[in-house]
Amino acid sequence: MPKKNSDGSYRSRVLILVDESNVGSSVRTEGRGLDWIKLRDFLAGPVTGRDLIEMVVYAGLPPATPTWQEERDKKNKFVHWLRSNGFLVVTKDGSPAEEGHYKANVDVMMAIDALELSIEMRPDLVILVTGDADFAYLVIKLRRHGIRVEVASVAANLGNTLRTAANDVIDLAPLFRTFEIALQDSATQPRAQQQRRRRPRFRGPSAKN
């Protein structure tokens, strides 16, 4: 059940699940570094009228091979930073792909966890931070359990089937424009601003249940 404020309004209990690769790609398209603290505050901070249960970040790691060791070490430092700042992080080892790339698809893990955690924690709202249309059926399944689902993404990366499946869409583009210009890869160089943020001037996510 949502908590009641002193003024009679209700605070929704929120579970946030983040596809780190997808949101990282979106913010890099904007030429910015990803400020994880600011993202969390924007989605479920004190000014949103929401109580955050957990923010789970799903991240793929470079392969555990000598070729990828330097990049893997950087990514592990990033994961450590996230955990040190209160994020729950789920990782998956990647496997080499063509042309010096690697793949570490976390979609299945994220979908299974979304269902299990939602049934166990009974949030009023689940926010999926991704634009991947493959999550559309997950959204429908969650809604069939009576859980409101919002998708946080930018228009360019948001699949139409995911958009129409969700109760609502949170546009991250205005938030991304407040982030600092990226000098390095934001996936391995998180913005470490940990001081309390001022309330954004743009309109954030609604406080619906």
Side-chain angles (χ1 to χ4, degrees):
M1 291 292 293
K3 293 182 180 179
K4 198 170 185 178
N5 294 320
S6 58
D7 61 359
S9 61
Y10 287 93
R11 299 180 63 86
S12 299
R13 298 175 68 250
V14 183
L15 173 64
I16 303 174
L17 299 102
V18 185
D19 181 346
E20 182 266 335
S21 177
N22 189 277
V23 71
S25 175
S26 296
V27 78
R28 284 193 295 273
T29 299
E30 298 282 335
R32 308 281 174 165
L34 182 49
D35 187 329
W36 286 88
I37 303 296
K38 203 169 184 179
L39 175 63
R40 180 172 60 191
D41 286 348
F42 175 67
L43 295 174
V47 302
T48 64
R50 295 171 168 178
D51 288 326
L52 179 63
I53 301 173
E54 200 71 76
M55 185 163 175
V56 191
V57 180
Y58 293 82
L61 296 177
T65 63
T67 302
W68 287 99
Q69 192 58 50
E70 183 177 352
E71 292 300 316
R72 186 179 176 87
D73 289 344
K74 290 180 182 179
K75 195 64 174 281
N76 276 323
K77 288 180 181 179
F78 163 64
V79 168
H80 175 74
W81 182 90
L82 284 175
R83 289 173 174 156
S84 298
N85 283 274
F87 298 88
L88 180 61
V89 185
V90 178
T91 61
K92 179 181 179 180
D93 284 344
S95 57
E98 69 284 347
E99 299 179 1
H101 296 282
Y102 70 94
K103 55 183 178 180
N105 195 318
V106 299
D107 292 7
V108 174
M109 297 167 62
M110 185 169 161
I112 292 173
D113 282 358
L115 285 171
E116 289 186 349
L117 293 175
S118 295
I119 292 171
E120 293 169 2
M121 297 179 174
R122 299 307 301 173
D124 303 301
L125 167 67
V126 171
I127 300 177
L128 300 178
V129 186
T130 182
D132 192 338
D134 289 342
F135 287 105
Y137 187 63
L138 168 64
V139 171
I140 294 171
K141 290 288 287 185
L142 291 173
R143 291 181 63 182
R144 285 168 59 184
H145 281 281
I147 299 170
R148 179 180 176 82
V149 183
E150 296 180 2
V151 170
S153 185
V154 295
N157 281 13
L158 179 58
N160 188 56
T161 55
L162 181 60
R163 181 198 305 274
T164 57
N167 291 102
D168 203 358
V169 172
I170 301 170
D171 182 13
L172 294 179
L175 176 69
F176 287 174
R177 287 194 289 269
T178 70
F179 293 171
E180 295 181 13
I181 301 296
L183 298 178
Q184 300 186 56
D185 185 354
S186 63
T188 56
Q189 298 292 330
R191 313 307 304 179
Q193 302 93 333
Q194 299 178 37
Q195 67 271 27
R196 183 171 295 278
R197 298 290 177 176
R198 296 179 180 178
R199 183 171 182 169
R201 294 182 180 178
F202 49 85
R203 185 176 179 180
S206 62
K208 302 174 186 176
N209 291 343

